[in-house]
Amino acid sequence: MPITIFHTATTLNGFLADENDSLDWLFAVPGADEAESSFGAFLETVGAFVMGAATYEWVMRMEAAERPGMWAETYGALPCFVVTHRTLATPTGADIRFVQGAVSDFWPRVADAAGDRVVWLVGGGDLVGQFDDAGHLDEIRVSIAPAVVPSGKPLLPRRIGPDRLRLETLDRAGQFVEATYRVLR
Ligand SMILES: NC(=O)c1ccc[n+]([C@@H]2O[C@H](COP(=O)([O-])OP(=O)(O)OC[C@H]3O[C@@H](n4cnc5c(N)ncnc54)[C@H](OP(=O)(O)O)[C@@H]3O)[C@@H](O)[C@H]2O)c1
């Protein structure tokens, strides 16, 4: 079974995005490029990735407005599972597979696509919680930005105690703290 890793950036107070679904707090961090450089190596280990509808729509807005061709450049034809009740537009050449419902129902398709490589959980937080509920969350890698926002989309809205989280590595990338936790079942 592939290893499932939630790899994300977060504010210091645990938000993936602010109340307007904005990541301006992230792009404003000096040295964000340095933190991004390790992401390329991570992406090479990924066999399939999974994101919720709001995250996908954010990426598609970036693709349409600010960085046309971003999807092809970054992800190529890597299988991406978008968890949604809707059918949404897809970028040219992308391998997007829409799934919905219980994680346990669509997990075999995700695992099959990833093979012996990693499944990257992009977010949002509740979707990652659904993976943990189903016993399919193995690791959390957070890049903690030097920013706080008053409210927004939570990192992981579940109760997971220190009995289930083990700190594996702790690094610095520019202004970011990078922490990796193993998630015990
Ligand atoms: N900081 C970062 O690096 C980072 C990483 C990831 C995300 N983000 C941002 O954080 C925000 C996340 O938004 P979000 O918390 O709303 O989460 P999300 O997971 O991206 O989207 C939630 C939506 O996904 C669909 N969904 C979730 N679970 C489902 C299921 N089991 N079956 C069918 N549909 C399901 C539903 O949409 P429908 O019912 O409408 O289809 C739901 O409203 C976005 O703004 C994103 O850009 C930031």
Side-chain angles (χ1 to χ4, degrees):
M1 196 157 30
I3 290 178
T4 302
I5 300 177
F6 178 30
H7 189 326
T8 189
T10 175
T11 68
L12 182 56
N13 59 335
F15 291 106
L16 293 177
D18 73 12
E19 64 276 21
N20 300 312
D21 273 330
S22 169
L23 299 185
D24 287 353
W25 53 270
L26 178 59
F27 299 128
V29 179
D33 292 348
E34 191 182 334
E36 276 280 297
S37 65
S38 66
F39 178 72
F42 170 71
L43 200 54
E44 284 176 15
T45 69
V46 171
F49 58 126
V50 185
M51 63 180 75
T55 301
Y56 179 70
E57 288 180 304
W58 182 89
V59 177
M60 290 297 281
R61 280 198 299 277
M62 287 287 287
E63 168 91 18
E66 291 179 39
R67 290 180 55 194
M70 179 189 78
W71 189 287
E73 198 180 294
T74 313
Y75 308 119
L78 196 62
C80 176
F81 290 81
V82 176
V83 188
T84 179
H85 298 96
R86 296 169 285 151
T87 300
L88 302 163
T90 59
T92 310
D95 181 354
I96 309 282
R97 307 176 191 188
F98 295 108
V99 293
Q100 62 175 274
V103 170
S104 56
D105 288 345
F106 62 78
W107 169 253
R109 294 178 57 194
V110 176
D112 187 53
D116 56 4
R117 297 164 76 85
V118 160
V119 173
W120 172 30
L121 298 183
V122 184
D126 184 72
L127 178 61
V128 175
Q130 294 175 46
F131 270 75
D132 186 55
D133 298 341
H136 293 300
L137 178 61
D138 298 303
E139 201 172 289
I140 299 170
R141 294 188 193 180
V142 280
S143 291
I144 305 168
V148 297
V149 296
S151 62
K153 298 292 175 66
L155 174 67
L156 184 42
R158 290 293 189 279
R159 192 177 301 275
I160 305 176
D163 57 322
R164 294 195 50 223
L165 291 174
R166 180 173 302 153
L167 181 63
E168 297 276 314
T169 64
L170 191 59
D171 296 298
R172 174 180 181 164
Q175 287 296 304
F176 290 86
V177 172
E178 296 190 330
T180 299
Y181 294 87
R182 191 190 310 171
V183 181
L184 307 175
R185 304 248 168 90

